[in-house]
Amino acid sequence: MENMKNIKMPSGGAGSALARVVLLGGAAVYGVANSIFNVEGGHRAIVFNRIVGIKDKVYEEGTHLMLPWFDKPIIYDVRARPNVIQTTSGSHDLQMVNIGLRVLTRPVPSKLPEMYRTLGTDYGERVLPSIIQETLKNVIAQYNASQLLTMREVVSRDIRRILTQRAKYFNIVLDDVSITNLTFSREYTGAVEAKQVAQQEAERAKFIVERALQEKESAIIKARGEAESALLIGQAIQQNPAFLTLRKIEAAREIAGTISNSTNKVYLSSDSLLLNLKELQEEISRRR
């Protein structure tokens, strides 16, 4: 017991000083950690102040200062983000059309304080589905089903023009609008396929008729040529008997040339060559 009484306790002044040091150090660390915030690449920030509300200043990329506890940074991604919408609409000729649209959107950086006050950070889920579906229905209703297939680029351009105007009202920029898929009901698709088959059969039948007419014309022209050739040959023989002899000599020359190119040995008489000189001489003598 006497040893316990001899133990000296630290004075109250030293303990309170240590507590103040720890408290001030913690406050300093908290203040430094909560007095700066970073804005990454492709992002922008706005600050909510507990006294004045949303500030109108938009913070660029980098490190910025703020008041601890009073200020709260709100980070926005200002890069283009894809949004895919699928919807069903009716065409001008009352055909049901399934259409998919892919839209690349991003917020206007200078309008972020206004967007936060009116739409919040989830502006895409709040605005885009409604304006995209409404725009698709309005544009699709202006075209027939066949026009949607043949004028797809024009339809896409109309959708982009109207959608850009609607999104601009909400401070949203559209970088790209494209139709990803465009399909019709099973009945309409079957009717289109049947029509295409009928058109192909009609074209095939037309081709067959045209080919037959061309073959007929070719046969007529060939027959006329042969008749004229025969008439000319007959006239030439009547006017000049040596014409037939000349033809025999030409035929013999062709036969001899063909046989000479062969590797086999062939012996032909003058009769085989259509060239009998004695007969030719007698024939010429008679005609004289």
Side-chain angles (χ1 to χ4, degrees), residues 8 20 27-28 42 55 77 80 87 119 133 142 152 235 241 245 249 254 270 275 280 287:
K8 295 181 179 181
R20 283 196 299 269
K55 296 181 180 180
D77 187 352
T87 187
L119 299 175
Q133 291 193 15
Q142 299 176 10
R152 183 165 179 167
Q235 293 176 354
T245 303
I249 294 173
E254 292 180 0
S270 59
L275 185 63
L280 289 175
R287 291 176 179 179

Side-chain angles (χ1 to χ4, degrees), residues 93-162:
D93 53 353
L94 303 181
Q95 296 293 334
M96 298 308 297
V97 182
N98 299 317
I99 184 170
L101 195 70
R102 182 179 183 270
V103 183
L104 288 178
T105 62
R106 56 183 175 86
V108 179
S110 60
K111 299 294 184 180
L112 289 179
E114 181 180 348
M115 289 187 65
Y116 186 79
R117 294 188 185 100
T118 56
L119 299 175
T121 56
D122 56 343
Y123 62 91
E125 291 75 9
R126 291 175 180 266
V127 175
L128 292 178
S130 59
I131 64 174
I132 291 177
Q133 291 193 15
E134 182 181 358
T135 301
L136 287 176
K137 293 181 183 297
N138 290 337
V139 174
I140 296 301
Q142 299 176 10
Y143 295 91
N144 293 331
S146 59
Q147 292 176 331
L148 293 175
L149 294 173
T150 58
M151 303 172 60
R152 183 165 179 167
E153 183 177 354
V154 177
V155 175
S156 179
R157 188 164 56 247
D158 288 346
I159 293 174
R160 178 168 186 171
R161 176 177 54 82
I162 298 174

Side-chain angles (χ1 to χ4, degrees), residues 233-244:
I233 291 173
Q235 293 176 354
I237 292 174
Q238 292 178 358
Q239 295 175 1
N240 188 2
F243 176 80
L244 183 59

Side-chain angles (χ1 to χ4, degrees), residues 149-193:
L149 294 173
T150 58
M151 303 172 60
R152 183 165 179 167
E153 183 177 354
V154 177
V155 175
S156 179
R157 188 164 56 247
D158 288 346
I159 293 174
R160 178 168 186 171
R161 176 177 54 82
I162 298 174
L163 196 56
T164 300
Q165 295 175 354
R166 293 294 308 277
K168 186 178 179 181
Y169 176 78
F170 298 98
N171 301 313
I172 299 175
V173 178
L174 270 67
D175 290 334
D176 182 65
V177 176
S178 59
I179 298 176
T180 56
N181 69 293
L182 186 66
T183 57
F184 300 90
S185 62
R186 183 178 302 176
E187 292 77 10
Y188 181 78
T189 304
V192 171
E193 292 177 354

Side-chain angles (χ1 to χ4, degrees), residues 223-238 243:
R224 289 177 180 175
E226 291 176 352
E228 292 178 359
S229 177
L231 179 61
L232 292 175
I233 291 173
Q235 293 176 354
I237 292 174
Q238 292 178 358
F243 176 80

